[in-house]
Amino acid sequence: EVQLVESGGGLVQAGGSLRLSCATSGFTFDDNAIAWFRQAPGEEREGVSCIETSDGSTYYADSVKGRFTISRDNAKNTVYLRMLSLKPEDTAVYYCAAALVGLCSPSRTYDYWGQGTQVTVSS
């Protein structure tokens, strides 16, 4: 079966960095879309970034563009989110989501989700 497991969250001071990992199993990276979402307390879930595993095309929300970088390791079936210059407003539970067929799109449905990893940024 398809599984996604996030890791790498934690507590960091403002200006610090973290790298999140999304380890996947049950499928191979071919024409998939793998995305990171986040949900802060009292807020709706927000799309953060997405990568198309076929050619490595990447997409970012305006709020993180220039600070976050999404990447993939096809051999490891793993997607990463490197987060630099973290701000308190980045505090959220970060989720990895996968669509086994299709492209990145803000409106598309993602078929599989991880359980989330907590990122807390202190001021």
Side-chain angles (χ1 to χ4, degrees), residues 15-122:
S17 63
L18 288 171
R19 188 181 72 162
L20 307 184
S21 297
C22 174
T24 74
S25 61
F27 68 100
T28 56
F29 283 10
D30 40 36
D31 61 347
N32 321 113
I34 312 295
W36 287 98
F37 291 79
R38 67 186 182 186
Q39 188 165 23
E43 299 183 14
E44 295 184 349
R45 189 160 58 195
E46 172 191 18
V48 175
S49 186
C50 187
I51 187 166
E52 296 170 355
T53 59
S54 58
D55 63 1
S57 297
T58 59
Y59 305 87
Y60 299 93
D62 289 343
S63 59
V64 306
K65 191 173 184 179
R67 298 188 298 120
F68 291 11
T69 303
I70 190 170
S71 62
R72 77 197 195 281
D73 186 332
N74 286 7
K76 295 182 178 180
N77 282 354
T78 299
V79 171
Y80 304 96
L81 184 68
R82 180 168 294 281
M83 306 183 293
L84 305 178
S85 301
L86 282 163
K87 305 174 181 179
E89 52 262 44
D90 296 318
T91 295
V93 177
Y94 284 71
Y95 298 91
C96 181
L100 302 192
V101 177
L103 305 176
C104 292
S105 174
S107 60
R108 71 150 302 128
T109 298
Y110 291 86
D111 304 298
Y112 301 96
W113 293 78
Q115 81 289 347
T117 186
Q118 176 71 49
V119 171
T120 302
V121 184
S122 62

